[in-house]
Amino acid sequence: MSLPEDEQRRALSYPGGEDGDVPAYVTCELDPHLYGEHVAHLRHLVPTEGVPDELWLVWGGAAGMGLRRLPACEQTGPSADVSCWLPVRHRGGHVWERYE
């Protein structure tokens, strides 16, 4: 879906955002699902307290569409250099499980 212009402006001015653009089009990055919240990664944020945070567009839940700062999933993959970049406590599998 197209990222609404107001959400795009808010994402670009979000505190702690690293330099760069945000995508004009987004899709849910979780495993396919018909209900509940959907999430799309918008940009990297400067870590707080050593925890890498990311800025996500969240929609489809009771709160409607909005930006949310969420820490990254802490799970590592089959090799030490692979980690799950989805939000912590995400539904479905980790990113590396999609390609096994």
Side-chain angles (χ1 to χ4, degrees):
M1 75 175 175
S2 293
L3 181 62
E5 287 184 27
D6 59 329
E7 297 293 355
Q8 192 171 25
R9 280 192 300 275
R10 289 182 56 224
L12 284 169
S13 63
Y14 198 89
E18 293 183 355
D19 291 338
D21 294 329
V22 296
Y25 299 94
V26 296
T27 185
C28 183
E29 303 197 41
L30 303 176
D31 285 347
H33 58 282
L34 299 175
Y35 59 90
E37 291 185 335
H38 300 277
V39 298
H41 183 260
L42 296 181
R43 68 189 311 195
H44 300 289
L45 300 175
V46 175
T48 56
E49 299 177 18
V51 177
D53 286 348
E54 307 293 330
L55 185 62
W56 296 85
L57 177 70
V58 180
W59 73 96
M65 182 181 288
L67 302 180
R68 203 175 299 167
R69 181 181 192 131
L70 298 169
C73 179
E74 298 174 349
Q75 294 296 310
T76 55
S79 63
D81 63 336
V82 176
S83 61
C84 184
W85 49 264
L86 294 171
V88 68
R89 294 183 299 281
H90 61 83
R91 71 186 305 154
H94 300 290
V95 293
W96 64 84
E97 294 172 319
R98 297 177 185 178
Y99 306 104
E100 288 182 338

